[in-house]
């Protein structure tokens, strides 16, 4: 009951009214491995399909954008999770901690979230072999980097597929919004820049990926997406890229986006082929 009251209060004061079937603190009562005296807590908002079928459902961990200075939960989190749930896919929104130039913070949160999803697969009727990750803008960077990482558990924290919307990919170029600075600081080393450029980290183990971007995105130029697509193809990874003529940046699940219906139709087609039928 306290959890429900706290959630209602949080949504009222933030001006956003959403309902998820459960809210989980990523680290529970334990300290995360990288705390750095940061005040915010990582949380997961769980949206499950309303009808429980005979087959276990896929799941998607959703990483909203915000330039690593905030987390855009409304259109790049909750709204997308609701759409996924309506399509028979568990949508799980990650409100990750902001790094404040401590580079491992959001990645620790994302890896632990993947552990939580697979650990609760039976409870949530999820297929643990069909757990993907999605990200928007800086959240796309988080999702892309995690798609190319392996923890001590190997594939246990590794996504099976990746969905990216106008992602930040390369840190070799500084984008608007301070994404690189917010994660790595003002003077990152060449090694850090290379390690956090997702196109440089692609291997034969990177999961199948779909990317959506607008050609006139001036905040995170579409070349970030094409660089990642090219890196995926060089490594033989199944990849799909859609570049819309206009839309700029940050359209997420905003229905006024000119290609809103088309983007979701294309994503549904890709999910049917790449996820459901595999």
């Amino acid at each position: 009951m306290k959890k429900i009251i706290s959630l209602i209060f949080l949504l009222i004061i933030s001006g956003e009214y959403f309902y998820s079937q459960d809210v989980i603190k990523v680290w529970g009562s334990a300290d995360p491995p990288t705390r750095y005296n940061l005040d915010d807590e990582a949380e997961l908002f769980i949206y499950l399909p309303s009808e429980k079928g005979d087959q276990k459902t896929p799941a998607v961990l959703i990483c909203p954008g915000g330039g690593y200075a905030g987390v855009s939960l409304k259109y790049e989190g909750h709204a997308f999770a609701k759409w996924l749930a309506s399509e028979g896919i568990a949508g799980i929104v990650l409100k990750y901690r902001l790094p404040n130039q401590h580079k491992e913070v959001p990645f620790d949160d994302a890896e632990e979230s993947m552990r939580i999803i697979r650990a609760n697969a039976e409870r949530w009727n999820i297929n643990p072999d069909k757990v993907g990750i999605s990200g928007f803008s800086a959240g796309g960077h988080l999702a892309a980097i995690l798609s190319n990482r392996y923890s001590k558990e190997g594939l246990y924290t590794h996504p099976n597929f990746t969905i990216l919307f106008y992602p930040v990919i390369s840190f070799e170029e500084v984008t608007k919004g301070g994404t690189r600075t917010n994660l790595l600081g003002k003077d990152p080393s060449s090694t850090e820049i290379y390690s956090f450029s997702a196109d440089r980290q692609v291997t034969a183990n990177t999961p199948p990926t779909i990317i959506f971007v607008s050609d006139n995105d001036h905040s995170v130029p579409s070349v970030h997406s094409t660089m990642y697509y090219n890196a995926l193809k060089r490594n033989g990874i199944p990849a799909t890229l859609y570049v819309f003529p206009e839309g700029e940046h940050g359209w997420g699940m905003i229905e006024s986006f000119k290609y809103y219906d088309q983007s979701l139709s294309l994503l549904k087609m890709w999910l049917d082929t790449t996820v459901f039928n595999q």
Side-chain angles (χ1 to χ4, degrees):
M1 189 65 181
K2 288 182 179 179
K3 183 189 291 184
I4 296 173
I5 293 172
S6 297
L7 176 59
I8 292 172
F9 177 73
L10 173 64
L11 299 182
I12 289 174
I13 62 172
S14 65
E16 298 177 351
Y17 301 87
F18 300 106
Y19 170 73
S20 63
Q21 289 152 305
D22 203 358
V23 184
I24 294 175
K25 292 188 183 301
V26 171
W27 298 101
S29 59
D31 283 339
T34 46
R35 174 165 283 281
Y36 298 111
N37 295 317
L38 301 176
D39 293 330
D40 55 338
E41 289 188 285
E43 293 179 307
L44 290 175
F45 298 83
I46 317 299
Y47 292 84
L48 303 178
S50 57
E51 296 184 6
K52 188 174 181 179
D54 296 332
Q55 300 294 323
K56 293 186 180 299
T57 69
V60 177
L61 177 65
I62 303 167
C63 305
Y68 289 131
V71 184
S72 302
L73 288 170
K74 185 175 182 180
Y75 294 111
E76 297 179 349
H78 297 288
F80 188 48
K82 287 181 179 179
W83 180 83
L84 287 169
S86 74
E87 296 296 326
I89 300 171
I92 301 173
V93 182
L94 171 60
K95 184 180 81 67
Y96 49 87
R97 293 171 297 147
L98 303 179
N100 291 296
Q101 303 180 17
H102 300 296
K103 57 181 181 287
E104 290 303 326
V105 167
F107 301 96
D108 284 343
D109 293 348
E111 285 194 341
E112 183 66 12
S113 297
M114 294 295 287
R115 295 186 190 100
I116 290 171
I117 293 170
R118 289 195 167 108
N120 286 276
E122 190 67 29
R123 172 189 169 195
W124 295 335
N125 197 42
I126 287 170
N127 184 338
D129 296 322
K130 293 186 176 183
V131 179
I133 193 168
S134 178
F136 300 74
S137 193
H141 177 262
L142 173 53
I145 292 293
L146 195 70
S147 296
N148 294 290
R149 280 192 175 185
Y150 294 89
S151 69
K152 295 177 182 178
E153 300 99 329
L155 294 177
Y156 198 66
T157 61
H158 194 66
N160 300 112
F161 57 93
T162 305
I163 304 166
L164 303 177
F165 295 87
Y166 40 87
V168 174
I169 292 295
S170 175
F171 272 4
E172 294 175 326
E173 295 184 20
V174 179
T175 59
K176 291 181 179 179
T179 299
R180 189 180 85 173
T181 299
N182 292 331
L183 187 70
L184 301 183
K186 294 181 179 180
D187 190 26
S189 68
S190 58
T191 300
E192 288 176 316
I193 291 172
Y194 183 89
S195 298
F196 284 89
S197 291
D199 58 309
R200 300 292 194 178
Q201 308 308 314
V202 175
T203 71
N205 294 316
T206 303
T209 301
I210 186 169
I211 310 167
F212 297 93
V213 69
S214 296
D215 187 56
N216 66 343
D217 189 333
H218 301 298
S219 297
V220 182
S222 57
V223 68
H224 281 254
S225 294
T226 59
M227 289 169 67
Y228 196 58
Y229 175 81
N230 288 336
L232 292 166
K233 299 316 298 178
R234 283 195 299 269
N235 285 273
I237 306 303
T240 302
L241 169 65
Y242 291 106
V243 183
F244 299 113
E246 55 188 281
E248 299 185 354
H249 190 75
W251 32 268
M253 291 290 289
I254 299 175
E255 294 186 19
S256 60
F257 172 52
K258 184 175 181 178
Y259 303 99
Y260 174 83
D261 290 332
Q262 291 93 326
S263 65
L264 293 181
S265 177
L266 291 167
L267 177 55
K268 185 178 185 303
M269 181 172 61
W270 184 84
L271 289 167
D272 287 344
T273 303
T274 306
V275 180
F276 281 103
N277 293 331
Q278 295 297 317

